[in-house]
Amino acid sequence: MAAAVGPDVMTRMFRAPHGFRGPLTSRAVARLGYKTIGWSAGVFDSAQPGADVIADRVCESLSPGAIVILHDADGWHPHASRLQTAQALARICATAREHGYAPTTLGAVLAA
């Protein structure tokens, strides 16, 4: 579980590993003061398919309110490189802006 800082708020968010969650998980998370967050687009960047493939997958999934999951770490392989994901970000952000979207944080979305 991680805390994310949004504009003028501290939001406690929980993303279930691999998205697996059930009613007991959601109740426990809520009882601890966290909000369960999912995603609308998983692009499997942790498989390291290449920056262009990652960017293609994200750009194909862009839509109003889309939540894209990208990884900056990996609990199974803590020393795995996330360079491909980082390299894909410039194109992802440029394409999002070309379509009139503004990439933002979950904290900012939840604070709105």
Side-chain angles (χ1 to χ4, degrees), residues 1 12 14 21-36:
M1 293 185 207
R12 295 164 48 112
F14 171 77
R21 62 184 188 272
L24 295 177
T25 303
S26 296
R27 279 192 290 246
V29 167
R31 201 169 35 248
L32 292 169
Y34 285 81
K35 180 168 182 62
T36 301

Side-chain angles (χ1 to χ4, degrees), residues 7 15-16 18 25 28 30 39-40 42 44 46 56 61 69 86 103 108:
R15 179 188 65 84
H18 307 286
T25 303
W39 58 91
S40 56
F44 304 100
S46 57
D56 288 344
S61 68
I69 183 170

Side-chain angles (χ1 to χ4, degrees), residues 7 26 33 37 44-46 48-49 55 60 74 90 94 97-98 101 103-104:
S26 296
I37 300 294
F44 304 100
D45 63 315
S46 57
Q48 300 183 38
E60 288 170 7
D74 182 338
R97 288 186 178 103
E98 286 171 11
Y101 304 130
T104 189

Side-chain angles (χ1 to χ4, degrees), residues 29-97:
V29 167
R31 201 169 35 248
L32 292 169
Y34 285 81
K35 180 168 182 62
T36 301
I37 300 294
W39 58 91
S40 56
V43 298
F44 304 100
D45 63 315
S46 57
Q48 300 183 38
D52 287 335
V53 172
I54 294 168
D56 288 344
R57 289 174 179 172
V58 171
C59 292
E60 288 170 7
S61 68
L62 293 176
S63 64
I67 298 175
V68 178
I69 183 170
L70 295 171
H71 297 82
D72 64 352
D74 182 338
W76 294 105
H77 306 285
H79 302 293
S81 171
R82 292 294 170 244
L83 182 59
Q84 294 176 8
T85 301
Q87 291 170 332
L89 286 175
R91 187 170 135 220
I92 292 167
C93 291
T95 301
R97 288 186 178 103

